[in-house]
Amino acid sequence: MIHYRLVTALPSEQEQCHLITRPDSPLLQQDALRNNPLIAEMTARAAQGKLADTCFGCGPFTRITLVPQSAWQDNLTDSLLAFLRPLFASPACREVLLDCTHIHDTVLAKTLRFLFNQQHRLTDLGLKTTTQNDTRLTHIHAYCPDRELARLEPLFKQQQAIANGMVAARRLADIPSEQCTPQFVVEEAQRLCAAFPALRCEVLDEQAIVEQGLGLLHAVGKGASRPPRLLAIHYEGASHGAVRSYVGKGITFDTGGLWLKDGAGMYTMKYDMCGAANVLGLMLSIAELALPVRVMGVLALAENAIGPDAMQPGSVARACNGMTVEINNTDAEGRLVLSDAIAWASQHHAQTRYIIDLATLTGAVVKALGYELSGLMTQDKALRSALTLAGEQSGDEVWSLPLDARLKKQTESAIADLCNTPTNNAAISASAAWLLHHFCPADIPWAHLDVSGTALWREGGKSVASGRPIPLLMQHLLNDLVKEA
């Protein structure tokens, strides 16, 4: 756990701190820094739009970093984080003093999440034998004026809880798939949820999946030696009221099935369960903040494998709402498990405020939107507007793609109610969403988030889980609670 405190004066333990500030900060006028000739040189460099960073001659601090002025207000291109990220790849200090005197709220929220996320490194999985820099961030001191304390305290509390959920999701997603099986995800979720009395786990094993008619989830998972699971996490932060539901795609590894991917396309497929991992992280964040709300998170967990029982192109499977789907592409398995899970979630509570699903669903959304924006597809205007606003406020943004009856032909089948992929290879992301919308009743607001571009952080040719879109969904929920009050 990384701890934080808000301070209105320089902390006494300055010699343990990494000071991160801007060239015109009042902190640089403190007695401890004002007469240091190095500060003048660093200030001039930062004023030119360059990073000024040193671990030498910067007493009483261990490290001083001056980030150019413009970065502290840049909530679009994340230039502050671009400056900071390389520094924390090999940190010099266990404590940070962050200057919060002149920073955009969204930039501050994203910076805090970045710092709190330093709790997790890939080396924590214990799979690398070489020694690494063991200096880890443990404390964040946030310098702000007295008048800002009351306003900033809830922001820090919320961002810490959001980051803790992101860390739990990232750790789970980063685990190699031979260990991170559907049953492993269930057990890990049960372990993490046990810390919060308001969380309760409900598990459907492979037999219950068949008995309850989740034929699409069964079809995807039946080819693997490690059987599928449906995990529902219930949060009862209120005694009554509508339930907000989140559904996550949890393909613990995706070979493509008999529609086999090539090697390069398969390499990152342990991350095809990021949607489910992030639903788990979201539930943990909600519980940590003890929000007065009822929430259900549904994780549709399966491995899309090759084997004697693997689903075949041309097969037809029936979902738990009775609709049939022709499986004309076994590598479009995510929309199958999501369809069943959305239908199951819609049937589970008499009163549902909305259902939002999240999935690393299509590579096409990356071609359309890149790696910074999640794709949003919904026919509910109010939900679209609310999610778009929450994305802007949190810095975890979405971009809306069309979803209407013009996509109908993309999912038509001669033998079943629907087919799982369009035969013309067009509008792939929106076509997948059009399939999904059939499984949520029209009276329940529903939205689909395709996070194929945003669920991973890509740097230096490597990919790791990012924890997105937990910040977006938490901001949306917090906004929704204010609106409902």
Side-chain angles (χ1 to χ4, degrees):
M1 173 74 81
I2 296 175
H3 303 277
Y4 74 88
R5 64 169 178 159
L6 276 64
V7 297
T8 57
L10 289 178
S12 58
E13 56 274 20
Q14 297 166 25
E15 66 278 0
Q16 304 296 326
C17 277
H18 175 186
L19 172 62
I20 301 173
T21 186
R22 62 185 202 283
D24 70 342
S25 170
L27 282 175
L28 300 181
Q29 301 305 313
Q30 301 285 328
D31 289 341
L33 296 170
R34 184 170 51 204
N35 298 319
N36 187 332
L38 185 60
I39 297 299
E41 181 182 336
M42 295 178 69
T43 300
R45 179 177 174 82
Q48 295 172 1
K50 302 175 182 177
L51 182 73
D53 176 67
T54 183
C55 291
F56 303 97
C58 50
F61 295 96
T62 300
R63 186 174 198 169
I64 296 178
T65 301
L66 300 190
V67 181
Q69 198 77 23
S70 59
W72 298 82
Q73 296 295 317
D74 176 14
N75 65 327
L76 183 64
T77 64
D78 293 345
S79 54
L80 179 59
L81 291 183
F83 282 123
L84 295 182
R85 196 175 294 277
L87 306 183
F88 282 85
S90 182
C93 307
R94 298 183 182 275
E95 302 186 22
V96 160
L97 174 58
L98 178 67
D99 187 350
C100 300
T101 55
H102 188 65
I103 182 171
H104 191 285
D105 279 356
T106 303
V107 176
L108 176 58
K110 296 172 85 168
T111 303
L112 289 176
R113 293 197 299 265
F114 166 73
L115 292 174
F116 285 126
N117 265 276
Q118 297 305 306
Q119 317 177 50
H120 171 61
R121 297 177 184 171
L122 281 179
T123 52
D124 294 341
L125 300 179
L127 302 176
K128 195 175 182 69
T129 56
T130 56
T131 57
Q132 299 287 321
N133 181 355
D134 62 355
T135 301
R136 303 293 287 264
L137 181 63
T138 59
H139 290 82
I140 301 169
H141 308 279
Y143 177 79
C144 65
D146 286 324
R147 65 180 182 278
E148 291 288 287
L149 286 173
R151 187 182 72 85
L152 290 180
E153 179 59 42
L155 174 65
F156 273 70
K157 181 179 180 182
Q158 289 170 6
Q159 298 310 314
Q160 183 183 47
I162 292 169
N164 287 342
M166 294 171 72
V167 165
R170 290 173 56 224
R171 282 176 174 158
L172 185 60
D174 284 336
I175 295 173
S177 57
E178 70 269 13
Q179 178 183 353
C180 189
T181 65
Q183 180 60 27
F184 178 89
V185 174
V186 167
E187 293 171 0
E188 187 67 5
Q190 290 172 327
R191 182 184 70 82
L192 293 170
C193 290
F196 301 98
L199 291 176
R200 173 178 60 87
C201 292
E202 175 186 2
V203 184
L204 273 62
D205 63 12
E206 65 270 35
Q207 182 177 346
I209 286 170
V210 172
E211 290 173 351
Q212 295 197 26
L214 283 83
L216 304 184
L217 177 58
H218 169 69
V220 174
K222 68 187 178 72
S225 59
R226 296 171 283 208
R229 295 287 184 266
L230 187 84
L231 169 64
I233 304 172
H234 304 275
Y235 172 75
E236 299 293 339
S239 58
H240 63 279
V243 174
R244 293 154 171 88
S245 292
Y246 302 90
V247 176
K249 171 189 171 183
I251 302 300
T252 55
F253 193 81
D254 181 18
T255 66
L258 295 180
W259 205 290
L260 187 67
K261 296 178 183 290
D262 62 19
M266 216 183 294
Y267 179 67
T268 60
M269 284 301 105
K270 72 173 185 178
Y271 289 115
D272 213 17
M273 46 71 73
C274 279
N278 289 331
V279 168
L280 169 60
L282 175 68
M283 299 300 292
L284 295 170
S285 295
I286 292 169
E288 182 175 336
L289 289 174
L291 297 181
V293 65
R294 299 176 69 209
V295 184
M296 180 174 69
V298 180
L299 285 64
L301 303 164
E303 181 180 332
N304 188 21
I306 297 174
D309 297 321
M311 59 179 173
Q312 300 171 340
S315 299
V316 175
R318 188 180 300 274
C320 66
N321 70 345
M323 297 194 75
T324 56
V325 179
E326 178 188 2
I327 303 168
N328 56 358
N329 185 337
T330 65
D331 194 25
E333 81 300 326
R335 65 201 71 180
L336 297 175
V337 303
L338 279 177
S339 295
D340 247 345
I342 291 167
W344 187 89
S346 72
Q347 299 165 1
H348 210 70
H349 290 284
Q351 187 181 8
T352 301
R353 186 168 175 85
Y354 55 70
I355 295 175
I356 299 173
D357 77 75
L358 46 151
T360 51
L361 205 62
T362 67
V365 82
V366 182
K367 296 182 185 301
L369 300 178
Y371 298 116
E372 303 302 324
L373 296 164
S374 298
L376 166 63
M377 284 145 274
T378 180
Q379 292 183 310
D380 190 280
K381 292 181 180 179
L383 192 52
R384 180 190 298 118
S385 177
L387 285 166
T388 301
L389 175 62
E392 293 169 354
Q393 292 172 326
S394 65
D396 188 1
E397 293 192 56
V398 298
W399 196 266
S400 186
L401 296 173
L403 185 68
D404 58 45
R406 285 173 289 189
L407 295 163
K408 183 178 179 180
K409 290 186 177 181
Q410 299 296 95
T411 57
E412 287 182 344
S413 168
I415 193 172
D417 297 323
L418 302 160
C419 71
N420 72 328
T421 55
T423 56
N424 58 12
N425 201 34
I428 298 297
S429 300
S431 297
W434 181 254
L435 173 78
L436 295 176
H437 104 278
H438 290 86
F439 296 87
C440 186
D443 60 342
I444 298 177
W446 163 81
H448 164 61
L449 295 173
D450 193 332
V451 296
S452 292
T454 55
L456 297 183
W457 171 256
R458 298 161 178 87
E459 188 173 46
K462 299 178 182 178
S463 298
V464 293
S466 71
R468 293 179 64 187
I470 294 175
L472 161 73
L473 296 175
M474 279 297 296
Q475 185 65 54
H476 172 255
L477 177 56
L478 291 168
N479 291 349
D480 199 46
L481 288 174
V482 171
K483 184 189 306 183
E484 192 178 50

